[in-house]
Amino acid sequence: MIGTAAPTARSWQKAVADLSGGWRSRELWAHLAWQDIRQRYRRSLLGPIWITLSMAVTAIALGVLYAGLFGNELSVQLPYILVGFIVWGFISGCISEGSDVFIANEGLIKQLPAPLSVHVYRLVWRQILFFGHNMIVYLVMLLIFPQPLNWASLTAIPAFVLLAVNGAWVALLLGIVTTRFRDLAPITQSVVQLLFFMTPIVWIYQDLLNSANPTIASRARLVEFNPLLHFLEIIRQPLLGQEQHLRHWIVVLVITVVGWALTLVALRRYRARVSYWV
């Protein structure tokens, strides 16, 4: 019994050490993330602002379209879609790039003696930088369509911290699995596209829930089973000055605990094999 328990204890320690060691290397992954952005927009006049402009134009176009389709005021539909796009950009980035995080860093993994989590932290930090750029559009939107913000709106800060913490375990777990099973990477990309339409980003969930048609209202309640709804709402509701609901926070906290537990198990068992799989 002692002979089998000792390696297990050591493997857990190595998994935790990988995460803590990666965090201590934040100067490395922060620099690499910034270099990723600079390299992607090299010789570009506006740099990453192009992402912000592209997102803003798409949100405005869809805001005008869906405001007409659902009969909502543009001042209601556009901020809803805009904030939804900003949050979705972070979520989809962590999922899509997370499925490729170790494969894309094959050279560094084989040549640089660093914890695996360094590449995940690098990815999440890069997405945080993009999120910060996109928030510029939100600030401009507040000037055009002021929202009833209050002190409760500051809960968007811990909500985003929770989102980033979940983005880390999603990228780490997906990265391990898709490195072993390469066919899952394109499948993940397709699932992300499908989730965009299944998540209330461009359509207002509450409107469908309060629909006079009981069939539409009952089907709208099924969206509660979509975990991305809850991650969206804990940020979108405070940013739009709306009433917040405790159930969204409870679901997010439960997913955070369960997700990290599963990720630690996967990291403990397969961390040493990733360098052979890439």
Side-chain angles (χ1 to χ4, degrees):
M1 293 296 292
I2 297 177
T4 58
T8 302
R10 286 198 297 270
S11 60
W12 279 114
Q13 291 172 359
K14 289 180 179 179
V16 175
D18 189 288
L19 293 173
S20 59
W23 180 254
R24 287 193 298 270
S25 304
R26 48 187 172 273
E27 290 187 6
L28 171 62
W29 50 257
H31 175 73
L32 290 174
W34 181 246
Q35 289 301 315
D36 288 341
I37 296 177
R38 292 186 61 184
Q39 185 65 26
R40 183 179 300 185
Y41 297 98
R42 187 180 179 184
R43 301 182 185 275
S44 173
L45 181 63
L46 297 179
I49 299 299
W50 278 116
I51 290 183
T52 302
L53 292 176
S54 175
M55 184 273 298
V57 170
T58 304
I60 292 172
L62 291 177
V64 173
L65 173 63
Y66 279 88
L69 289 176
F70 290 108
N72 293 326
E73 295 290 335
L74 186 61
S75 59
V76 174
Q77 190 78 44
L78 182 55
Y80 185 91
I81 291 179
L82 187 61
V83 176
F85 260 77
I86 293 174
V87 180
W88 176 255
F90 182 88
I91 294 174
S92 62
C94 289
I95 298 175
S96 299
E97 295 188 24
S99 65
D100 197 42
V101 63
F102 297 132
I103 300 172
N105 291 288
E106 175 185 356
L108 285 176
I109 291 175
K110 291 182 176 180
Q111 299 175 19
L112 181 67
L116 283 178
S117 58
V118 163
H119 309 289
V120 174
Y121 293 140
R122 171 187 180 183
L123 183 156
V124 174
W125 180 243
R126 184 168 64 245
Q127 295 302 321
I128 290 175
L129 294 177
F130 285 139
F131 183 90
H133 279 98
N134 291 337
M135 285 298 290
I136 296 173
V137 182
Y138 168 75
L139 296 177
V140 174
M141 181 272 294
L142 287 180
L143 297 177
I144 302 174
F145 300 113
Q147 303 298 310
L149 302 181
N150 48 51
W151 285 108
S153 298
L154 293 177
T155 56
I157 298 175
F160 180 72
V161 172
L162 269 177
L163 185 64
V165 168
N166 279 271
W169 77 254
V170 167
L172 183 54
L173 183 60
L174 273 178
I176 293 174
V177 175
T178 54
T179 301
R180 175 62 180 87
F181 303 101
R182 299 297 179 92
D183 291 336
L184 291 179
I187 293 176
T188 301
Q189 308 295 327
S190 300
V191 170
V192 169
Q193 294 179 5
L194 178 62
L195 287 173
F196 175 83
F197 297 103
M198 296 177 62
T199 306
I201 299 170
V202 297
W203 46 276
I204 300 179
Y205 162 64
Q206 200 64 34
D207 285 354
L208 298 182
L209 196 62
N210 298 329
S211 174
N213 188 326
T215 303
I216 295 178
S218 62
R219 290 178 179 176
R221 292 188 182 92
L222 296 176
V223 182
E224 290 283 345
F225 293 99
N226 181 353
L228 297 184
L229 163 72
H230 307 284
F231 284 96
L232 267 173
E233 292 304 302
I234 63 172
I235 297 182
R236 180 160 55 190
Q237 287 176 345
L239 287 181
L240 296 180
Q242 298 175 351
E243 179 185 358
Q244 300 180 55
H245 301 285
L246 181 60
R247 70 180 187 279
H248 297 312
W249 288 87
I250 293 175
V251 172
V252 168
L253 288 172
V254 170
I255 292 175
T256 303
V257 173
V258 174
W260 268 109
L262 292 174
T263 302
L264 282 173
V265 171
L267 187 62
R268 177 183 70 87
R269 297 192 61 179
Y270 304 113
R271 180 187 61 85
R273 303 183 188 181
V274 172
S275 59
Y276 296 99
W277 289 341
V278 293

